[in-house]
Amino acid sequence: MPEPIGEEGGGMANAIVGTLILVGVAIVIGLPVGIGAGLYLAERRGTWLATTVRFLADVLNGLPSIVVGIFAWQFLVRPVGHFSALAGGVALAAMMIPMVTRTTEEMVRLVPVSLREAALALGYTRWRTSLTVVLRTAMAGIVTGALVAVARIAGETAPLFFTALGNQFMSTSLREAIAALPLQIFNYAISPYESAHALAWAGAVVLIGLVLVVSVAARFATRARFGHAAD
Amino acid sequence: MIVGPRPLEEPSSGLAARLASAGVGDRVYRVAITLFAACVPLLLLLIAAEIARAAWPALRTFGFGFLTSSAWDPVNGAFGAAPALYGTIVSSIVALVIATPLAIGVAIYLSEFAPGWLRQPVSFLVDLLAAIPSVVYGLWGIFVLIPLLRTHVVPFLKDTLHLGATPLFSGPNYGPSMLAAGVILAIMILPYISAVAREVLLAVPRSQREAALALGATRWETIWGAVLPYARSGIIGGVILGLGRALGETMAVTMVIGNTHEISSSLLSPGYTMASLIANQFSEATGDLHLSALMAIGFVLFVLTLVVNALARWLVWRVARSA
């Protein structure tokens, strides 16, 4: 837990919990939408909607995170009148959706047509083929994509500035301002105190460690079952 | 008991029922994934609409002059985006000038020269540069890069290369500067450019290389004369993609650029970018017009990155289609 300036020690347990909650909210919202949209792009690839969605997903992916941040503020904080973890999670989800959409599409496309045809020939309906055969085959790749997306949003600061805001105390409520590792690092880094700088570096190590573990896990998830097909 | 063929009606009617229900299931499934897909354009529209709505008061008050005015006076309610727009573009150009040759070099090495065992680990490490959080780059920028620039690089540029006389490197260097922002951005966009460049180079057909080699070209001439021109528009696409990243990058830039609302020709003086202006002032905005002006800056940034990204995607897509 953070100590008041001048006190010895201090930590970031609240920020670590906060980051996990924010990322959790983003996953709950972003993952189903991203996977659903990715399935659509892979299965109905020729339609005008698919072409449009694919292009716009790329555009959304390139949108500056600060723009997503002020959008979430305008959309979810301003009407309510107070900052909330939910708004932060939604902002992160908005960044996650296009990433998951595109990797899901690519992974589903890698599933051999013969597998799909075999399932259909056995009398499976289309939707069961998609969900139980195609999606399951592509699952390892989709998990990888999701982990890469999680690694990226976990380190985002700008979308949380005006939504999650940060919090000096332990909070787990979705309706209140919540701490986050990147926010805490930023606040410590720009403060004039030597002890705060040390905490900023420590926070950075924890954050990089988190991101690195998730990235390496993603790498292994790909290798384990998808080997040659990915990359 | 007579064993005969089972009556045909029963299974066939069962099949018909199953087919009918399958039709319903398929339709539900199709509608569901279509709705999910529709979320993406809707989200983008929602973002554009919300920001435009919030920016409207400022855009209406200042009109087109908003882009050319350098005023930023919350007390008297005069706002202009020019210094932030200038800072955004200049810091991004500095980043591109540094990152592009490096990134293309990395890509050429990895696709043409690197032995197989080295290729994977090096590309993994380069990709990892993209995974480091922006705020960590900023932290490193404040405590490592800025002191390094101030004590070694700037004296070298001024005293050894005598660049102090040129407007680009004139004036004192206090630390936070446009140059520091450009260098940080260069490191951050390098993995994006090199990833696209690598992909595009790998998409160049073997025959292209073999033909050049068969004509007696050296390896260098092959790459310079046959491979790079073939991949050119794709690589440019990657560079523009990197530009898109650099334009919108917020945290690291906010932490090293110095945040001064002025246009200065020198790279050594502090400045502002659109993203860092929003990050810095948004939570302290006084009054509705100030807030709206910041939203208007966000809208300009939105449109700028939209155009840049669309251009980049189009270029990369053109190469991918022809390959």
Side-chain angles (χ1 to χ4, degrees), chain A residues 40 53 58-62 64 66-67 73-74 78 125-127 130 152 157 161-162 186 189 197 211 219, chain B residues 22 25-26 29 34 37 44 47 50-51 54 120 124 131 135 139 143 245 250-251 255 282 291 305-306 309 313:
Chain A
Y40 180 88
V53 167
D58 283 341
V59 168
L60 199 56
N61 211 353
I66 189 92
V67 171
W73 180 85
Q74 169 77 13
R78 198 177 204 181
T125 54
R126 277 177 190 282
W127 67 273
S130 277
R152 226 188 99 191
T157 320
F161 246 141
F162 323 119
F186 176 74
H197 296 166
V211 168
R219 200 102 184 142
Chain B
D26 279 353
Y29 173 70
T34 308
L44 196 66
I47 293 177
E50 284 286 330
I51 294 181
Q120 276 289 326
F124 178 61
V135 69
L139 184 68
F143 294 111
R245 289 266 157 213
T250 313
M251 293 320 297
M255 290 160 91
F282 198 80
L291 200 65
T305 48
L306 201 86
N309 277 312
R313 294 293 168 190

Side-chain angles (χ1 to χ4, degrees), chain B residues 15-40:
Chain B
L15 191 64
R18 259 173 62 200
L19 280 178
S21 74
V24 172
D26 279 353
R27 233 169 292 154
V28 170
Y29 173 70
R30 184 181 290 184
V31 169
I33 58 172
T34 308
L35 285 179
F36 279 131
C39 281
V40 174

Side-chain angles (χ1 to χ4, degrees), chain A residues 85-218:
Chain A
L86 184 67
V90 169
L92 293 183
M95 304 196 60
M96 191 174 174
I97 288 171
M99 294 188 243
V100 175
T101 300
R102 295 294 270 130
T103 44
T104 302
E105 183 199 359
E106 265 155 46
M107 290 305 142
V108 169
R109 274 189 182 191
L110 287 178
V111 175
V113 183
S114 55
L115 215 58
R116 189 187 291 266
E117 282 168 353
L120 289 173
L122 285 173
Y124 263 37
T125 54
R126 277 177 190 282
W127 67 273
R128 282 192 66 189
T129 308
S130 277
L131 293 182
T132 59
V133 177
V134 175
L135 197 59
R136 265 183 74 176
T137 314
M139 198 41 93
I142 294 173
V143 168
T144 304
L147 285 175
V148 170
V150 165
R152 226 188 99 191
I153 60 167
E156 280 294 346
T157 320
L160 301 181
F161 246 141
F162 323 119
T163 52
L165 187 69
N167 195 332
Q168 284 293 305
F169 304 101
M170 179 71 84
S171 165
T172 51
S173 164
L174 287 184
R175 297 163 49 83
E176 282 163 38
I178 198 167
L181 264 178
L183 285 173
Q184 203 95 336
I185 295 170
F186 176 74
N187 286 334
Y188 282 140
I190 58 168
S191 98
Y193 300 100
E194 209 46 61
S195 61
H197 296 166
L199 284 170
W201 284 111
V205 170
V206 174
L207 186 58
I208 290 186
L210 197 80
V211 168
L212 215 63
V213 166
V214 176
S215 305
V216 172

